[in-house]
Amino acid sequence: FLVAIYLTLARSVLYGGLAVIQKFRARRRRFDPDFHPPVSVVIAAYNEETVIAQTVQSILDNGYDDIEVVVVDDGSRDATLQVLKSGFESHPKVRIFTQPNRGKSAALNNAIRQTRNGILVAVDADTIFRKGAIGYLVRHFADERVGAVSGNARVGNRRTWIARFQSIEYVCGFNLDRRALDLLNAITVVPGAVGAWRKDLIDALGGFPHDTLAEDTDLTLAIRELGYKIRYEEEAVAYTEAPETTKQLAKQRFRWSFGTLQAAWKHRAVTLDPRYGFLGLLAMPSIWLFQVFLAAISPFAEVAMVIALFAGNWRTVLLFYFGFFVLETVTALLAYGLEGEWPGDLKLLFFQRIYFRGLMQYVLGKSILFALKGRVVGWGKLERTASVQEA
């Protein structure tokens, strides 16, 4: 119980402090106002008939002029291809392709082969971009040392309590971490929902990899290992559709967890290797320590807490638990402050933490079990509700 608390405390203080410093450093960054290279936006679509038109339109309306949009339909069984053709077949900036169903990475690589420009922006088919997001992403590539840029992904369908739980996680977890790791050039994942890449690097690495479910994490690590910078751009905001049921969320998080384990194992040689800077000394060990070890001991920590309660140590236990929750609340308020977001959803934080602890314990246990057994895991397509809205 105390190990879990102290590890979380150390991580919160370290990552929170780094995120604050990064915020001030990012404000002082200067960019070349004349740098506007041609950009190709790539989208892989499978059974996305309810959302694909909105996604493509948000790209066309984003305000970046020199752009092409390449969409590959991955053998959809619904009307995705028909929606694309009816809405955009005659549009001069949109090119539509189709292929037999071979998975997301194959569809992305097909789209990349069709592109004409050296800077790529990858977008999930259920995501809409805030105005100007493409320009904010692309401006970093004026520095030839930058290999990829992560945008600011947010939940766009905050209409259910499960989606609002995930919104808290995106702000307090994913984006806070990227801020901290951006300062150290140690970002481990440029998310598929909103990210930009150098095409020549993707080509040199053989495209988005097929051998992990977290192809975005895998490719990010590979580019960083080549010595390039990975940046985080807070102004490149994209709104993505989060699962709205526990079943769908568990399915998604199992894929993410299993894929992250695959990528971390594939790139395990980086861990604790000083040649890769803070990627090897902090970011990769953090995956094993916090996403695997801490999650694995969490059930035992909670059992220990219950035993201590019944053993008569309830005052000490409640004091530590209260302090633990205060720490999480302060960290969450910091994260929302850095994002410039109203922290109204944090009234759900206590219940969100209980819900996610149980869910992630199940997901991690299943991931480790599948990994030990060598089970093959498929992509696992989620159902779309077309409920994303720009905040």
Side-chain angles (χ1 to χ4, degrees):
F1 181 51
L2 292 178
V3 167
I5 289 178
Y6 292 143
L7 282 176
T8 304
L9 172 63
R11 189 183 193 280
S12 298
V13 171
L14 177 61
Y15 277 63
L18 291 172
V20 171
I21 297 172
Q22 187 274 346
K23 179 76 171 183
F24 287 103
R25 291 272 183 91
R27 287 178 176 176
R28 295 201 299 268
R29 286 177 182 166
R30 295 294 178 262
F31 298 93
D32 183 355
D34 299 321
F35 183 75
H36 300 287
V39 173
S40 297
V41 178
V42 294
I43 305 174
Y46 176 68
N47 291 349
E48 307 283 6
E49 64 178 6
T50 61
V51 295
I52 191 61
Q54 183 184 29
T55 296
V56 174
Q57 195 61 52
S58 81
I59 299 302
L60 295 172
D61 295 340
N62 204 250
Y64 200 91
D65 295 329
D66 197 351
I67 194 173
E68 67 168 350
V69 183
V70 179
V71 189
V72 171
D73 169 62
D74 187 36
S76 295
R77 293 176 293 177
D78 65 359
T80 297
L81 186 59
Q82 291 79 0
V83 169
L84 284 167
K85 287 184 174 181
S86 64
F88 305 101
E89 191 170 34
S90 61
H91 198 290
K93 294 185 177 181
V94 180
R95 301 164 63 208
I96 303 167
F97 301 89
T98 188
Q99 67 178 35
N101 179 245
R102 297 203 303 269
K104 184 178 180 181
S105 58
L108 282 172
N109 289 333
N110 188 0
I112 291 169
R113 285 192 294 270
Q114 309 298 335
T115 58
R116 301 164 176 151
N117 303 316
I119 302 298
L120 306 177
V121 173
V123 186
D124 280 348
D126 64 337
T127 301
I128 61 174
F129 274 14
R130 180 186 285 180
K131 294 278 188 180
I134 295 174
Y136 285 122
L137 288 170
V138 171
R139 63 183 182 171
H140 289 267
F141 291 100
D143 182 351
E144 294 183 355
R145 297 169 298 175
V146 173
V149 182
S150 167
N152 184 340
R154 298 182 183 177
V155 173
N157 56 322
R158 294 170 49 249
R159 62 181 187 174
T160 67
W161 60 270
I162 291 180
R164 291 171 71 186
F165 280 179
Q166 291 167 82
S167 181
I168 295 172
E169 182 191 27
Y170 273 60
V171 174
C172 302
F174 304 150
N175 290 337
L176 184 71
D177 285 1
R178 289 195 187 98
R179 285 183 189 278
L181 295 176
D182 173 58
L183 186 68
L184 306 175
N185 191 24
I187 290 176
T188 57
V189 55
V190 173
V194 51
W197 314 77
R198 288 195 187 275
K199 181 181 178 180
D200 60 345
L201 293 181
I202 295 181
D203 289 341
L205 292 166
F208 278 89
H210 300 282
D211 55 347
T212 67
L213 290 180
E215 75 286 336
D216 46 8
T217 302
D218 197 346
L219 186 60
T220 302
L221 292 173
I223 289 176
R224 176 61 187 84
E225 287 170 28
L226 292 176
Y228 286 87
K229 293 181 180 180
I230 310 294
R231 286 291 182 222
Y232 171 68
E233 177 51 69
E234 66 174 354
E235 299 293 344
V237 177
Y239 298 93
T240 190
E241 183 174 317
E244 295 187 348
T245 67
T246 296
K247 180 180 179 180
Q248 289 290 305
L249 179 57
K251 184 177 180 180
Q252 180 198 65
R253 294 313 166 92
F254 170 65
R255 188 183 75 232
W256 288 6
S257 177
F258 192 82
T260 299
L261 283 175
Q262 288 177 311
W265 182 253
K266 180 177 178 180
H267 297 270
R268 62 190 179 276
V270 174
T271 305
L272 299 179
D273 190 332
R275 292 178 299 173
Y276 300 102
F278 284 103
L279 177 70
L281 298 177
L282 177 65
M284 291 297 285
S286 290
I287 292 177
W288 295 110
L289 183 60
F290 293 103
Q291 296 187 35
V292 179
F293 173 72
L294 184 58
I297 69 170
S298 291
F300 301 101
E302 292 175 7
V303 169
M305 182 183 69
V306 172
I307 292 174
L309 283 172
F310 282 100
N313 298 319
W314 62 271
R315 290 184 179 85
T316 303
V317 170
L318 292 182
L319 179 62
F320 272 104
Y321 197 85
F322 177 75
F324 184 65
F325 182 69
V326 168
L327 169 66
E328 291 186 320
T329 303
V330 170
T331 305
L333 288 170
L334 172 65
Y336 272 83
L338 293 173
E339 290 284 310
E341 288 283 292
W342 173 250
D345 282 342
L346 291 186
K347 60 180 177 287
L348 301 173
L349 182 63
F350 179 78
F351 304 101
Q352 188 257 9
R353 289 299 191 241
I354 294 174
Y355 174 84
F356 260 94
R357 282 192 188 104
L359 178 77
M360 294 311 296
Q361 287 166 10
Y362 161 75
V363 165
L364 179 65
K366 183 178 177 181
S367 297
I368 293 174
L369 184 62
F370 272 52
L372 292 174
K373 289 185 175 181
R375 293 276 297 274
V376 176
V377 179
W379 177 249
K381 178 70 174 63
L382 299 177
E383 297 177 7
R384 304 300 189 196
T385 63
S387 55
V388 172
Q389 295 181 351
E390 184 175 331

